[in-house]
Amino acid sequence: MSTFFFSGKNVSSRAQDILSGIVPLLKLICLTVIGLLLAHPKTQLVPRATFRLLSKLVFALFLPCLIFTELGESITLENIVRWWFIPVNVLLSTVIGSFIGYLVVLICRPPPEFTRFTIVMTAFGNTGNLLLAIVSSVCHTKTNPFGPSCNSRGVSYVSFAQWVAVILVYTVVYHMMEPPLEYYEIVEEEGVEIEEVNVSAHDVSRPLLVEAEWPGIEDKETEHCKTPFIARVFNSISSYSQASLPEVDLGGETGGESSSPRSIQCLAEPRVMRRMRVVAEQTPVKHILQPPTIASLLAIVVGSVPQLKKIVFGYDAPLSFITDSLNIMGAAMVPSVMLVLGGMLSEGPKESTLGLRTTIGITVARLLVLPLVGIGIVMSADKLGLLSSADPMLKFVLLLQYSTPSAILLGAIASLRGYAVREASALLFWQHIFALLSLTFYIIIFFKLTVDNVQGMP
């Protein structure tokens, strides 16, 4: 009798564990399906322009409000020190993902022009909006396994890591996604094809993916954003690298007669340094200061100064009515993001020349292999005492950083650089479809690994 009782209890516990991992994703799936039905070409209940407007509201209003209200209230100088492993974990996941992406290149052998694309799509996951949506969905019920302040802590952890991901995207990813030199020369010889590329970048019917996480991207294009700029500069084959790199003029004040070739050679800027400076000038570092990043920095500043924090945050704070208003607007972030994702998926996968084998390889590496590596890294860091906080939500967020599909922002970068736009759209579509299964599986595992010590938490 007792054996039957314990057996039934174990079965019930396993069923509860499975439900705890499935239900949060079911909530997000419902929101995504609603967006898909509203934007589907056969129904067109909501036009595509409306979804573009909604994505702009998320980017410029809802997401910054959510980040500022949650991160600002949770952050302190002590927490900045305690949370040091969160941004480090983003860097680790990117480095390890790049190595796994290189293995995918060796095993799957994609077309040569997509070698860097394969590495980028494997290395850089969605550590922003999707993570916030998952955390909010998990914490939405009172019986969530992470305690009463689950959502506030989870959003704070995710927001604290976003600035690292943004810096990586606008520096490393931007240059890795430039068109390959050989491929660009082939296209350049075919005047018709390069004309199609330029037109599609400004076409109003382009995929919603392009603006899903970077609205107004068409205004960010520069003279060299769609060219193999780095390759031309460092290989000395570009007229820009030869003619536009300024030479040091030492003879302007002396008439040019007292300067010997030896002195010019000694005082002139080295050629490699010149080229690196030109590349740095073409890096869109200014785009790092987007509304979500500004909200993160402002929240860290306000939250770290006790005098400012007492004025802005708290029930009795003089400016509490402002933070309450921002909190109300921030609450619209998750449903809006999932509706936009549904609108993106409603467009379906685009034609891709990446190849089925490479597409499967990137998807398996990103959704199945990298999370296993992440489990080993996070649990090892916990055992070594690198995680100064005992909060299980911290470990949950760290594990999720290895488990999400490729960042949707990569599709925007691909469009900006004019490189692998259709391939990025198709790959992101299939990754988000199969992520429904992989995330359900890994969330159940993450609960088992992190929730054991939840009892007794404040």
Side-chain angles (χ1 to χ4, degrees), residues 53-100:
L53 177 60
L54 184 59
S55 68
K56 290 181 179 180
L57 285 173
V58 170
F59 182 77
L61 182 63
F62 299 153
L63 180 57
C65 288
L66 179 67
I67 290 175
F68 179 77
T69 54
E70 299 293 352
L71 180 59
E73 191 170 8
S74 302
I75 198 73
T76 61
L77 288 175
E78 181 183 358
N79 283 341
I80 292 177
V81 177
R82 294 173 61 194
W83 296 352
W84 67 273
F85 192 76
I86 299 177
V88 170
N89 193 58
V90 175
L91 294 175
L92 284 175
S93 65
T94 302
V95 172
I96 295 171
S98 300
F99 177 73
I100 295 176

Short mmCIF file of all heavy atoms in Angstrom, two decimals, residues 53-100:
data_model
loop_
_atom_site.label_atom_id
_atom_site.label_comp_id
_atom_site.label_asym_id
_atom_site.label_seq_id
_atom_site.Cartn_x
_atom_site.Cartn_y
_atom_site.Cartn_z
N LEU A 53 4.57 49.45 -36.69
CA LEU A 53 4.36 50.49 -35.68
C LEU A 53 4.45 49.90 -34.28
O LEU A 53 5.04 50.50 -33.37
CB LEU A 53 3.01 51.17 -35.90
CG LEU A 53 2.62 52.24 -34.87
CD1 LEU A 53 3.63 53.37 -34.86
CD2 LEU A 53 1.22 52.77 -35.17
N LEU A 54 3.88 48.70 -34.10
CA LEU A 54 3.93 48.04 -32.80
C LEU A 54 5.36 47.71 -32.41
O LEU A 54 5.76 47.86 -31.24
CB LEU A 54 3.08 46.77 -32.82
CG LEU A 54 2.94 46.00 -31.50
CD1 LEU A 54 2.33 46.88 -30.42
CD2 LEU A 54 2.10 44.74 -31.69
N SER A 55 6.17 47.25 -33.37
CA SER A 55 7.57 46.94 -33.07
C SER A 55 8.33 48.21 -32.67
O SER A 55 9.22 48.17 -31.82
CB SER A 55 8.24 46.27 -34.27
OG SER A 55 8.38 47.17 -35.35
N LYS A 56 7.98 49.34 -33.27
CA LYS A 56 8.62 50.61 -32.89
C LYS A 56 8.23 51.01 -31.47
O LYS A 56 9.06 51.52 -30.71
CB LYS A 56 8.23 51.70 -33.88
CG LYS A 56 8.84 51.53 -35.26
CD LYS A 56 8.44 52.67 -36.18
CE LYS A 56 9.08 52.49 -37.57
NZ LYS A 56 8.71 53.58 -38.49
N LEU A 57 6.96 50.78 -31.11
CA LEU A 57 6.53 51.09 -29.75
C LEU A 57 7.25 50.21 -28.74
O LEU A 57 7.65 50.67 -27.66
CB LEU A 57 5.01 50.89 -29.63
CG LEU A 57 4.13 51.96 -30.27
CD1 LEU A 57 2.67 51.56 -30.22
CD2 LEU A 57 4.34 53.30 -29.58
N VAL A 58 7.44 48.93 -29.07
CA VAL A 58 8.18 48.04 -28.18
C VAL A 58 9.60 48.53 -28.00
O VAL A 58 10.12 48.62 -26.88
CB VAL A 58 8.18 46.59 -28.73
CG1 VAL A 58 9.14 45.71 -27.94
CG2 VAL A 58 6.78 46.00 -28.69
N PHE A 59 10.23 48.87 -29.10
CA PHE A 59 11.64 49.26 -29.09
C PHE A 59 11.87 50.59 -28.38
O PHE A 59 12.83 50.74 -27.62
CB PHE A 59 12.14 49.34 -30.53
CG PHE A 59 13.59 49.67 -30.67
CD1 PHE A 59 14.57 48.72 -30.44
CD2 PHE A 59 13.98 50.95 -31.06
CE1 PHE A 59 15.91 49.03 -30.57
CE2 PHE A 59 15.32 51.26 -31.20
CZ PHE A 59 16.28 50.30 -30.96
N ALA A 60 11.00 51.57 -28.63
CA ALA A 60 11.23 52.92 -28.14
C ALA A 60 10.50 53.25 -26.85
O ALA A 60 10.86 54.22 -26.18
CB ALA A 60 10.82 53.93 -29.21
N LEU A 61 9.49 52.44 -26.45
CA LEU A 61 8.69 52.80 -25.29
C LEU A 61 8.50 51.66 -24.30
O LEU A 61 8.94 51.75 -23.15
CB LEU A 61 7.31 53.30 -25.76
CG LEU A 61 6.36 53.78 -24.65
CD1 LEU A 61 6.95 54.98 -23.93
CD2 LEU A 61 5.00 54.11 -25.25
N PHE A 62 7.88 50.56 -24.73
CA PHE A 62 7.52 49.49 -23.79
C PHE A 62 8.73 48.84 -23.15
O PHE A 62 8.80 48.67 -21.93
CB PHE A 62 6.66 48.42 -24.49
CG PHE A 62 5.37 48.95 -25.05
CD1 PHE A 62 4.76 48.34 -26.14
CD2 PHE A 62 4.75 50.06 -24.49
CE1 PHE A 62 3.57 48.82 -26.66
CE2 PHE A 62 3.56 50.55 -25.00
CZ PHE A 62 2.97 49.93 -26.09
N LEU A 63 9.72 48.45 -23.98
CA LEU A 63 10.91 47.78 -23.45
C LEU A 63 11.74 48.70 -22.55
O LEU A 63 12.13 48.29 -21.45
CB LEU A 63 11.76 47.24 -24.61
CG LEU A 63 13.05 46.51 -24.22
CD1 LEU A 63 12.76 45.34 -23.30
CD2 LEU A 63 13.80 46.04 -25.47
N PRO A 64 12.03 49.95 -22.94
CA PRO A 64 12.76 50.83 -22.02
C PRO A 64 12.03 51.06 -20.70
O PRO A 64 12.67 51.11 -19.64
CB PRO A 64 12.88 52.14 -22.82
CG PRO A 64 12.81 51.73 -24.24
CD PRO A 64 11.86 50.57 -24.27
N CYS A 65 10.70 51.18 -20.74
CA CYS A 65 9.94 51.36 -19.50
C CYS A 65 10.07 50.15 -18.59
O CYS A 65 10.26 50.28 -17.37
CB CYS A 65 8.47 51.61 -19.82
SG CYS A 65 8.14 53.23 -20.53
N LEU A 66 9.98 48.94 -19.17
CA LEU A 66 10.10 47.72 -18.38
C LEU A 66 11.50 47.62 -17.76
O LEU A 66 11.64 47.29 -16.57
CB LEU A 66 9.81 46.50 -19.26
CG LEU A 66 9.92 45.14 -18.58
CD1 LEU A 66 8.84 44.97 -17.53
CD2 LEU A 66 9.84 44.01 -19.61
N ILE A 67 12.53 47.88 -18.56
CA ILE A 67 13.91 47.77 -18.07
C ILE A 67 14.16 48.77 -16.94
O ILE A 67 14.71 48.43 -15.89
CB ILE A 67 14.90 48.00 -19.23
CG1 ILE A 67 14.85 46.82 -20.20
CG2 ILE A 67 16.32 48.18 -18.70
CD1 ILE A 67 15.71 47.02 -21.44
N PHE A 68 13.74 50.01 -17.14
CA PHE A 68 14.02 51.04 -16.14
C PHE A 68 13.31 50.75 -14.81
O PHE A 68 13.92 50.86 -13.74
CB PHE A 68 13.60 52.41 -16.66
CG PHE A 68 13.84 53.53 -15.68
CD1 PHE A 68 15.11 54.03 -15.49
CD2 PHE A 68 12.79 54.06 -14.94
CE1 PHE A 68 15.35 55.04 -14.57
CE2 PHE A 68 13.01 55.07 -14.02
CZ PHE A 68 14.30 55.57 -13.84
N THR A 69 12.03 50.39 -14.87
CA THR A 69 11.28 50.19 -13.63
C THR A 69 11.75 48.97 -12.85
O THR A 69 11.85 49.02 -11.62
CB THR A 69 9.79 50.06 -13.93
OG1 THR A 69 9.57 49.02 -14.90
CG2 THR A 69 9.23 51.37 -14.47
N GLU A 70 12.07 47.89 -13.54
CA GLU A 70 12.46 46.66 -12.85
C GLU A 70 13.93 46.67 -12.45
O GLU A 70 14.28 46.36 -11.30
CB GLU A 70 12.16 45.43 -13.72
CG GLU A 70 10.70 45.24 -14.07
CD GLU A 70 9.84 44.91 -12.86
OE1 GLU A 70 10.40 44.68 -11.76
OE2 GLU A 70 8.61 44.90 -13.00
N LEU A 71 14.81 47.04 -13.38
CA LEU A 71 16.24 47.04 -13.07
C LEU A 71 16.59 48.16 -12.09
O LEU A 71 17.38 47.96 -11.16
CB LEU A 71 17.04 47.21 -14.36
CG LEU A 71 18.57 47.23 -14.22
CD1 LEU A 71 19.07 45.93 -13.59
CD2 LEU A 71 19.24 47.47 -15.57
N GLY A 72 15.99 49.33 -12.26
CA GLY A 72 16.30 50.44 -11.37
C GLY A 72 15.92 50.17 -9.93
O GLY A 72 16.62 50.61 -9.00
N GLU A 73 14.82 49.44 -9.72
CA GLU A 73 14.39 49.15 -8.36
C GLU A 73 15.22 48.07 -7.71
O GLU A 73 15.37 48.03 -6.49
CB GLU A 73 12.91 48.75 -8.36
CG GLU A 73 12.29 48.70 -6.99
CD GLU A 73 10.78 48.54 -7.04
OE1 GLU A 73 10.24 48.33 -8.15
OE2 GLU A 73 10.15 48.64 -5.98
N SER A 74 15.79 47.17 -8.52
CA SER A 74 16.54 46.03 -7.97
C SER A 74 18.03 46.30 -7.84
O SER A 74 18.69 45.71 -6.98
CB SER A 74 16.33 44.79 -8.87
OG SER A 74 14.97 44.46 -8.98
N ILE A 75 18.56 47.16 -8.70
CA ILE A 75 20.02 47.33 -8.75
C ILE A 75 20.53 48.15 -7.57
O ILE A 75 19.88 49.08 -7.10
CB ILE A 75 20.41 48.01 -10.08
CG1 ILE A 75 21.91 47.80 -10.37
CG2 ILE A 75 20.09 49.50 -10.06
CD1 ILE A 75 22.25 46.43 -10.78
N THR A 76 21.69 47.75 -7.08
CA THR A 76 22.45 48.51 -6.08
C THR A 76 23.93 48.33 -6.41
O THR A 76 24.29 47.49 -7.24
CB THR A 76 22.18 48.01 -4.65
OG1 THR A 76 22.58 46.63 -4.56
CG2 THR A 76 20.71 48.14 -4.27
N LEU A 77 24.77 49.11 -5.77
CA LEU A 77 26.21 48.93 -5.98
C LEU A 77 26.65 47.53 -5.59
O LEU A 77 27.51 46.92 -6.24
CB LEU A 77 26.98 49.98 -5.18
CG LEU A 77 26.91 51.43 -5.69
CD1 LEU A 77 27.61 52.36 -4.73
CD2 LEU A 77 27.51 51.54 -7.08
N GLU A 78 26.06 47.01 -4.53
CA GLU A 78 26.40 45.65 -4.10
C GLU A 78 25.97 44.62 -5.14
O GLU A 78 26.71 43.68 -5.44
CB GLU A 78 25.72 45.35 -2.76
CG GLU A 78 26.04 43.97 -2.22
CD GLU A 78 25.28 43.67 -0.93
OE1 GLU A 78 24.54 44.56 -0.45
OE2 GLU A 78 25.42 42.55 -0.42
N ASN A 79 24.77 44.82 -5.73
CA ASN A 79 24.30 43.87 -6.73
C ASN A 79 25.11 43.93 -8.01
O ASN A 79 25.29 42.92 -8.69
CB ASN A 79 22.83 44.15 -7.05
CG ASN A 79 21.89 43.63 -5.98
OD1 ASN A 79 22.27 42.77 -5.18
ND2 ASN A 79 20.68 44.16 -5.93
N ILE A 80 25.62 45.11 -8.36
CA ILE A 80 26.47 45.21 -9.55
C ILE A 80 27.69 44.31 -9.41
O ILE A 80 28.12 43.64 -10.36
CB ILE A 80 26.89 46.68 -9.78
CG1 ILE A 80 25.68 47.52 -10.17
CG2 ILE A 80 27.97 46.76 -10.86
CD1 ILE A 80 25.99 48.99 -10.34
N VAL A 81 28.26 44.27 -8.20
CA VAL A 81 29.41 43.39 -7.94
C VAL A 81 28.98 41.94 -7.91
O VAL A 81 29.65 41.06 -8.46
CB VAL A 81 30.08 43.80 -6.62
CG1 VAL A 81 31.24 42.85 -6.29
CG2 VAL A 81 30.58 45.23 -6.69
N ARG A 82 27.84 41.66 -7.29
CA ARG A 82 27.37 40.28 -7.15
C ARG A 82 26.94 39.67 -8.48
O ARG A 82 27.01 38.46 -8.66
CB ARG A 82 26.21 40.22 -6.15
CG ARG A 82 26.60 40.56 -4.72
CD ARG A 82 25.37 40.66 -3.83
NE ARG A 82 24.64 39.40 -3.78
CZ ARG A 82 23.41 39.27 -3.29
NH1 ARG A 82 22.75 40.33 -2.85
NH2 ARG A 82 22.83 38.09 -3.26
N TRP A 83 26.49 40.51 -9.39
CA TRP A 83 25.97 40.00 -10.66
C TRP A 83 27.03 40.00 -11.77
O TRP A 83 26.70 39.93 -12.95
CB TRP A 83 24.79 40.87 -11.13
CG TRP A 83 23.60 40.84 -10.21
CD1 TRP A 83 23.41 40.04 -9.13
CD2 TRP A 83 22.44 41.66 -10.31
NE1 TRP A 83 22.20 40.31 -8.53
CE2 TRP A 83 21.57 41.31 -9.23
CE3 TRP A 83 22.04 42.67 -11.18
CZ2 TRP A 83 20.34 41.92 -9.03
CZ3 TRP A 83 20.82 43.28 -10.97
CH2 TRP A 83 19.97 42.90 -9.91
N TRP A 84 28.29 40.04 -11.43
CA TRP A 84 29.34 40.16 -12.44
C TRP A 84 29.33 39.00 -13.44
O TRP A 84 29.73 39.16 -14.60
CB TRP A 84 30.72 40.23 -11.77
CG TRP A 84 31.13 38.94 -11.08
CD1 TRP A 84 30.84 38.57 -9.81
CD2 TRP A 84 31.87 37.86 -11.66
NE1 TRP A 84 31.36 37.32 -9.53
CE2 TRP A 84 32.00 36.86 -10.66
CE3 TRP A 84 32.44 37.63 -12.91
CZ2 TRP A 84 32.67 35.66 -10.87
CZ3 TRP A 84 33.11 36.43 -13.13
CH2 TRP A 84 33.22 35.46 -12.12
N PHE A 85 28.85 37.83 -13.00
CA PHE A 85 28.91 36.67 -13.89
C PHE A 85 27.86 36.73 -14.99
O PHE A 85 27.98 36.03 -16.00
CB PHE A 85 28.72 35.38 -13.09
CG PHE A 85 29.06 34.13 -13.86
CD1 PHE A 85 30.37 33.77 -14.09
CD2 PHE A 85 28.06 33.33 -14.39
CE1 PHE A 85 30.69 32.62 -14.80
CE2 PHE A 85 28.36 32.18 -15.10
CZ PHE A 85 29.67 31.83 -15.32
N ILE A 86 26.83 37.58 -14.86
CA ILE A 86 25.77 37.64 -15.88
C ILE A 86 26.33 38.13 -17.21
O ILE A 86 26.16 37.45 -18.24
CB ILE A 86 24.60 38.52 -15.39
CG1 ILE A 86 23.99 37.94 -14.11
CG2 ILE A 86 23.54 38.65 -16.47
CD1 ILE A 86 22.88 38.79 -13.53
N PRO A 87 26.98 39.30 -17.30
CA PRO A 87 27.56 39.70 -18.60
C PRO A 87 28.69 38.78 -19.05
O PRO A 87 28.86 38.56 -20.25
CB PRO A 87 28.06 41.12 -18.34
CG PRO A 87 28.20 41.25 -16.87
CD PRO A 87 27.16 40.36 -16.28
N VAL A 88 29.46 38.25 -18.10
CA VAL A 88 30.53 37.31 -18.47
C VAL A 88 29.93 36.07 -19.12
O VAL A 88 30.48 35.52 -20.08
CB VAL A 88 31.36 36.92 -17.22
CG1 VAL A 88 32.31 35.77 -17.54
CG2 VAL A 88 32.14 38.13 -16.71
N ASN A 89 28.77 35.63 -18.63
CA ASN A 89 28.12 34.45 -19.20
C ASN A 89 27.69 34.69 -20.64
O ASN A 89 27.74 33.77 -21.48
CB ASN A 89 26.90 34.07 -18.35
CG ASN A 89 26.37 32.70 -18.68
OD1 ASN A 89 27.08 31.70 -18.59
ND2 ASN A 89 25.10 32.64 -19.07
N VAL A 90 27.27 35.92 -20.95
CA VAL A 90 26.93 36.25 -22.34
C VAL A 90 28.16 36.11 -23.23
O VAL A 90 28.09 35.56 -24.34
CB VAL A 90 26.34 37.67 -22.42
CG1 VAL A 90 26.10 38.07 -23.87
CG2 VAL A 90 25.05 37.78 -21.63
N LEU A 91 29.29 36.61 -22.76
CA LEU A 91 30.53 36.48 -23.53
C LEU A 91 30.93 35.02 -23.70
O LEU A 91 31.34 34.59 -24.79
CB LEU A 91 31.65 37.26 -22.84
CG LEU A 91 31.50 38.78 -22.78
CD1 LEU A 91 32.63 39.40 -21.96
CD2 LEU A 91 31.48 39.37 -24.18
N LEU A 92 30.80 34.23 -22.62
CA LEU A 92 31.14 32.81 -22.70
C LEU A 92 30.25 32.08 -23.70
O LEU A 92 30.74 31.28 -24.51
CB LEU A 92 31.01 32.17 -21.31
CG LEU A 92 32.11 32.46 -20.30
CD1 LEU A 92 31.75 31.84 -18.95
CD2 LEU A 92 33.45 31.90 -20.79
N SER A 93 28.95 32.35 -23.64
CA SER A 93 28.03 31.68 -24.56
C SER A 93 28.34 32.06 -26.01
O SER A 93 28.21 31.22 -26.91
CB SER A 93 26.58 32.02 -24.22
OG SER A 93 26.32 33.40 -24.42
N THR A 94 28.77 33.29 -26.23
CA THR A 94 29.11 33.73 -27.58
C THR A 94 30.39 33.07 -28.09
O THR A 94 30.44 32.60 -29.23
CB THR A 94 29.27 35.26 -27.61
OG1 THR A 94 28.07 35.88 -27.16
CG2 THR A 94 29.57 35.75 -29.01
N VAL A 95 31.40 33.01 -27.24
CA VAL A 95 32.67 32.38 -27.63
C VAL A 95 32.47 30.89 -27.89
O VAL A 95 32.93 30.35 -28.92
CB VAL A 95 33.74 32.61 -26.54
CG1 VAL A 95 34.99 31.79 -26.84
CG2 VAL A 95 34.08 34.08 -26.42
N ILE A 96 31.77 30.23 -26.99
CA ILE A 96 31.53 28.79 -27.17
C ILE A 96 30.64 28.55 -28.38
O ILE A 96 30.87 27.61 -29.16
CB ILE A 96 30.90 28.20 -25.89
CG1 ILE A 96 31.88 28.29 -24.74
CG2 ILE A 96 30.48 26.74 -26.11
CD1 ILE A 96 31.29 27.93 -23.39
N GLY A 97 29.63 29.41 -28.56
CA GLY A 97 28.78 29.27 -29.74
C GLY A 97 29.55 29.47 -31.03
O GLY A 97 29.27 28.80 -32.03
N SER A 98 30.52 30.37 -31.03
CA SER A 98 31.35 30.57 -32.22
C SER A 98 32.17 29.33 -32.53
O SER A 98 32.30 28.93 -33.70
CB SER A 98 32.28 31.78 -32.01
OG SER A 98 31.55 32.95 -31.78
N PHE A 99 32.71 28.71 -31.48
CA PHE A 99 33.48 27.47 -31.70
C PHE A 99 32.58 26.36 -32.23
O PHE A 99 32.95 25.64 -33.17
CB PHE A 99 34.12 27.04 -30.37
CG PHE A 99 34.87 25.74 -30.45
CD1 PHE A 99 36.09 25.66 -31.09
CD2 PHE A 99 34.34 24.58 -29.89
CE1 PHE A 99 36.78 24.46 -31.17
CE2 PHE A 99 35.01 23.37 -29.97
CZ PHE A 99 36.25 23.32 -30.62
N ILE A 100 31.38 26.22 -31.66
CA ILE A 100 30.44 25.20 -32.16
C ILE A 100 30.02 25.53 -33.59
O ILE A 100 29.86 24.62 -34.43
CB ILE A 100 29.22 25.11 -31.22
CG1 ILE A 100 29.66 24.60 -29.84
CG2 ILE A 100 28.16 24.17 -31.80
CD1 ILE A 100 28.54 24.56 -28.82
#
